[in-house]
PDB file of all heavy atoms in Angstrom:
ATOM      1  N   ALA B 132      -0.714 -12.402  -0.602  1.00  0.00           N
ATOM      2  CA  ALA B 132      -0.839 -13.805  -0.636  1.00  0.00           C
ATOM      3  C   ALA B 132      -1.830 -14.244  -1.786  1.00  0.00           C
ATOM      4  O   ALA B 132      -1.718 -15.316  -2.285  1.00  0.00           O
ATOM      5  CB  ALA B 132      -1.252 -14.515   0.659  1.00  0.00           C
ATOM      6  N   SER B 133      -2.745 -13.446  -2.124  1.00  0.00           N
ATOM      7  CA  SER B 133      -3.720 -13.643  -3.186  1.00  0.00           C
ATOM      8  C   SER B 133      -4.076 -12.262  -3.818  1.00  0.00           C
ATOM      9  O   SER B 133      -3.661 -11.278  -3.387  1.00  0.00           O
ATOM     10  CB  SER B 133      -4.966 -14.412  -2.613  1.00  0.00           C
ATOM     11  OG  SER B 133      -5.676 -13.555  -1.823  1.00  0.00           O
ATOM     12  N   ALA B 134      -4.776 -12.525  -5.036  1.00  0.00           N
ATOM     13  CA  ALA B 134      -5.030 -11.168  -5.745  1.00  0.00           C
ATOM     14  C   ALA B 134      -5.983 -10.286  -4.935  1.00  0.00           C
ATOM     15  O   ALA B 134      -5.729  -9.083  -4.825  1.00  0.00           O
ATOM     16  CB  ALA B 134      -5.782 -11.736  -7.015  1.00  0.00           C
ATOM     17  N   ALA B 135      -6.885 -10.888  -4.130  1.00  0.00           N
ATOM     18  CA  ALA B 135      -7.762 -10.049  -3.429  1.00  0.00           C
ATOM     19  C   ALA B 135      -7.376 -10.245  -1.853  1.00  0.00           C
ATOM     20  O   ALA B 135      -8.085 -10.867  -1.128  1.00  0.00           O
ATOM     21  CB  ALA B 135      -9.225 -10.411  -3.672  1.00  0.00           C
ATOM     22  N   ALA B 136      -6.367  -9.509  -1.629  1.00  0.00           N
ATOM     23  CA  ALA B 136      -5.871  -9.570  -0.219  1.00  0.00           C
ATOM     24  C   ALA B 136      -5.070  -8.420   0.129  1.00  0.00           C
ATOM     25  O   ALA B 136      -4.737  -7.663  -0.728  1.00  0.00           O
ATOM     26  CB  ALA B 136      -4.870 -10.947  -0.070  1.00  0.00           C
ATOM     27  N   ALA B 137      -4.962  -8.252   1.440  1.00  0.00           N
ATOM     28  CA  ALA B 137      -4.132  -7.160   1.862  1.00  0.00           C
ATOM     29  C   ALA B 137      -2.668  -7.299   1.547  1.00  0.00           C
ATOM     30  O   ALA B 137      -2.302  -8.486   1.399  1.00  0.00           O
ATOM     31  CB  ALA B 137      -4.295  -6.964   3.390  1.00  0.00           C
ATOM     32  N   TRP B 138      -1.980  -6.327   1.501  1.00  0.00           N
ATOM     33  CA  TRP B 138      -0.534  -6.335   1.213  1.00  0.00           C
ATOM     34  C   TRP B 138       0.343  -6.451   2.570  1.00  0.00           C
ATOM     35  O   TRP B 138       0.364  -5.513   3.258  1.00  0.00           O
ATOM     36  CB  TRP B 138      -0.137  -5.067   0.352  1.00  0.00           C
ATOM     37  CG  TRP B 138      -0.979  -4.875  -0.750  1.00  0.00           C
ATOM     38  CD1 TRP B 138      -2.070  -3.934  -0.847  1.00  0.00           C
ATOM     39  CD2 TRP B 138      -1.005  -5.624  -1.940  1.00  0.00           C
ATOM     40  NE1 TRP B 138      -2.619  -4.066  -2.190  1.00  0.00           N
ATOM     41  CE2 TRP B 138      -2.130  -5.103  -2.774  1.00  0.00           C
ATOM     42  CE3 TRP B 138      -0.303  -6.765  -2.471  1.00  0.00           C
ATOM     43  CZ2 TRP B 138      -2.352  -5.598  -4.067  1.00  0.00           C
ATOM     44  CZ3 TRP B 138      -0.647  -7.284  -3.787  1.00  0.00           C
ATOM     45  CH2 TRP B 138      -1.625  -6.545  -4.501  1.00  0.00           C
ATOM     46  N   ASP B 139       0.945  -7.726   2.805  1.00  0.00           N
ATOM     47  CA  ASP B 139       1.487  -7.924   3.977  1.00  0.00           C
ATOM     48  C   ASP B 139       2.893  -7.381   4.199  1.00  0.00           C
ATOM     49  O   ASP B 139       3.441  -7.248   5.408  1.00  0.00           O
ATOM     50  CB  ASP B 139       1.342  -9.333   4.396  1.00  0.00           C
ATOM     51  CG  ASP B 139       1.985 -10.305   3.421  1.00  0.00           C
ATOM     52  OD1 ASP B 139       2.573  -9.769   2.438  1.00  0.00           O
ATOM     53  OD2 ASP B 139       1.927 -11.525   3.631  1.00  0.00           O
ATOM     54  N   TYR B 140       3.714  -7.168   3.103  1.00  0.00           N
ATOM     55  CA  TYR B 140       4.987  -6.677   3.171  1.00  0.00           C
ATOM     56  C   TYR B 140       5.105  -5.593   2.182  1.00  0.00           C
ATOM     57  O   TYR B 140       4.652  -5.788   0.966  1.00  0.00           O
ATOM     58  CB  TYR B 140       6.016  -7.749   3.037  1.00  0.00           C
ATOM     59  CG  TYR B 140       6.154  -8.639   4.207  1.00  0.00           C
ATOM     60  CD1 TYR B 140       5.598  -9.887   4.158  1.00  0.00           C
ATOM     61  CD2 TYR B 140       6.907  -8.311   5.227  1.00  0.00           C
ATOM     62  CE1 TYR B 140       5.756 -10.762   5.254  1.00  0.00           C
ATOM     63  CE2 TYR B 140       6.977  -9.146   6.413  1.00  0.00           C
ATOM     64  CZ  TYR B 140       6.382 -10.431   6.417  1.00  0.00           C
ATOM     65  OH  TYR B 140       6.416 -11.239   7.387  1.00  0.00           O
ATOM     66  N   TRP B 141       5.715  -4.444   2.536  1.00  0.00           N
ATOM     67  CA  TRP B 141       5.966  -3.398   1.675  1.00  0.00           C
ATOM     68  C   TRP B 141       7.449  -2.939   1.756  1.00  0.00           C
ATOM     69  O   TRP B 141       8.066  -3.206   2.744  1.00  0.00           O
ATOM     70  CB  TRP B 141       5.182  -2.164   2.157  1.00  0.00           C
ATOM     71  CG  TRP B 141       3.769  -2.234   2.092  1.00  0.00           C
ATOM     72  CD1 TRP B 141       2.852  -3.157   2.625  1.00  0.00           C
ATOM     73  CD2 TRP B 141       2.908  -1.348   1.521  1.00  0.00           C
ATOM     74  NE1 TRP B 141       1.620  -2.830   2.371  1.00  0.00           N
ATOM     75  CE2 TRP B 141       1.503  -1.669   1.679  1.00  0.00           C
ATOM     76  CE3 TRP B 141       3.046  -0.190   0.723  1.00  0.00           C
ATOM     77  CZ2 TRP B 141       0.419  -1.021   1.259  1.00  0.00           C
ATOM     78  CZ3 TRP B 141       1.954   0.641   0.219  1.00  0.00           C
ATOM     79  CH2 TRP B 141       0.661   0.149   0.498  1.00  0.00           C
ATOM     80  N   GLY B 142       7.860  -2.309   0.684  1.00  0.00           N
ATOM     81  CA  GLY B 142       9.190  -1.735   0.611  1.00  0.00           C
ATOM     82  C   GLY B 142       9.063  -0.220   1.290  1.00  0.00           C
ATOM     83  O   GLY B 142       7.846   0.103   1.429  1.00  0.00           O
ATOM     84  N   GLN B 143      10.141   0.364   1.499  1.00  0.00           N
ATOM     85  CA  GLN B 143      10.034   1.670   2.119  1.00  0.00           C
ATOM     86  C   GLN B 143       9.687   2.809   1.144  1.00  0.00           C
ATOM     87  O   GLN B 143       9.581   3.910   1.525  1.00  0.00           O
ATOM     88  CB  GLN B 143      11.218   2.055   2.945  1.00  0.00           C
ATOM     89  CG  GLN B 143      12.414   2.101   2.245  1.00  0.00           C
ATOM     90  CD  GLN B 143      13.704   2.375   3.031  1.00  0.00           C
ATOM     91  OE1 GLN B 143      13.774   1.759   4.236  1.00  0.00           O
ATOM     92  NE2 GLN B 143      14.655   3.047   2.634  1.00  0.00           N
TER      93      GLN B 143
END
Side-chain angles (χ1 to χ4, degrees):
Chain B
S133 68
W138 309 104
D139 58 357
Y140 288 100
W141 293 56
Q143 63 182 34

